[in-house]
Amino acid sequence: MVMEKAWSFGLVLLWFSTLSCYLVNAADDKNGGFGASFIFGDSLVDAGNNNYLPTLSRANIPPNGIDFKASGGNPTGRYTNGRTIGDIVGEELGVPNYAVPYLAPNSTGKAILYGVNYASGGGGIMNATGRIFVNRLGLDIQIDFFNNTRKQFDKLLGSSKAKDYISKRSIFSVTIGANDFLNNYLLPVLSIGARISETPDGFIDDMINHLSNQLTRLYKLDARKFVIGNVGPIGCIPYQKTINQLNENECVDLANKLAMQYNGRLKELLTELNGKLKGAIFVHANVYDLVMELITNYAKYGIIWFFTCRFYNSKRSMLWKWRAICRDNPMRTDIKYVQRP
Ligand SMILES: *[C@@H]1O[C@H](CO)[C@@H](O)[C@H](O)[C@H]1NC(C)=O
Ligand SMILES: *[C@@H]1O[C@H](CO)[C@@H](O)[C@H](O)[C@H]1NC(C)=O
Ligand SMILES: *[C@@H]1O[C@H](CO)[C@@H](O)[C@H](O)[C@H]1NC(C)=O
């Protein structure tokens, strides 16, 4: 279950730099400012939904949250030391509260006017993705939940105002797809059958068709401004490197190739939807290149190191924050520390 945790530490910073221009423009709407941020996706943007599910994929344990000011450094269910890209985008847009997790008890009443977060660690485009965690919200279900929220907006604002608010003043971000490879297609044992019976082309076709239907469903529910993230270099994450027994500076070729193949198809899909769905804007967020750049030129972005508890022993004085964690878990390898410049 380590992969869900390992993946997301600190990946958000770069993502943001490309998105911010577009999003700030979108926010600068003549119709009375920014409305809501609706967040769909996996552990990269889960803000606590999995805390409310009986699941093996949870992040409500330290060191998650250690740099998250709003919780005083306590874990919240975010799979990261700090904020997710969803939180940061919301802040930059001037939304006073982070989008509430859909499953949290306070995701009711006026709180939803700032946005709602449906993301779930372990979730994917395909329903079967993340089965290994027992429970998680796949994108189909996340959109079912948005359908519920959509009805609540009609009640809160009246149907014509609600439609305006959703279509003109709200952002829909979707950050998903990595688990469809990591915790579905590439999963040892569980998916061997699928991999024998389905070629990478066939599997990626299924993913793209499914996603196309999912985005069209959101459009039917009045979503218009979309930001869709592609899949990062999943062959370079510790989980993949470990199960494939690679060295520190190598990445798993098959996993990265699948990600790149999917990403090519995603770009085509978004171009197609931009033409087909009237009034909608789909922005493609190139997570793959950003994260690859981060991995390659990490020092340029103020990242001091990625480290494990074993490594910690030699850098003790610099990493006082991790002392208790590493003392209790001397062999932990899923911690990466990102320092802003
Ligand atoms: C919802 O509850 C959480 C946890 O108690 C809190 O941190 C957050 O600020 C609340 N959000 C809203 C919009 O009330
Ligand atoms: C996936 O699950 C959702 C929600 O349970 C369901 O509506 C949908 O039909 C399922 N899709 C497939 C392809 O099984
Ligand atoms: C939303 O839910 C209603 C039932 O309440 C259903 O008729 C409709 O098809 C759903 N819309 C989408 C896009 O899923």
Side-chain angles (χ1 to χ4, degrees), residues 8-13 44 65 67-70 78-89 91-92 98 340:
S8 60
F9 275 81
L11 295 186
V12 298
L13 293 175
L44 287 171
D67 298 312
F68 191 65
K69 288 211 182 75
R78 287 169 174 78
Y79 294 70
T80 166
N81 57 313
R83 298 163 297 168
T84 69
I85 181 67
D87 298 327
I88 295 172
V89 167
E91 270 180 14
E92 293 292 320
Y98 295 128
R340 286 232 226 182

Side-chain angles (χ1 to χ4, degrees), residues 127 140-141 144 210 217:
N127 270 2
D140 282 330
I141 297 161
D144 289 345
H210 219 81
R217 277 182 73 205

Side-chain angles (χ1 to χ4, degrees), residues 273-329:
L273 293 179
N274 269 324
K276 196 165 90 180
L277 300 179
K278 210 168 144 276
I281 307 169
F282 289 86
V283 172
H284 174 238
N286 191 348
V287 177
Y288 190 99
D289 284 356
L290 291 172
V291 175
M292 205 46 146
E293 163 71 8
L294 179 69
I295 291 169
T296 316
N297 294 316
Y298 58 94
K300 199 168 128 193
Y301 300 98
I303 293 168
I304 298 178
W305 47 61
F306 293 95
F307 90 107
T308 67
C309 280
R310 268 182 287 176
F311 175 78
Y312 162 82
N313 291 330
S314 61
K315 304 279 178 190
R316 191 170 295 264
S317 62
M318 299 286 291
L319 294 167
W320 57 271
K321 272 188 184 175
W322 304 102
R323 190 161 47 212
I325 294 152
C326 286
R327 188 187 53 219
D328 296 342
N329 308 275

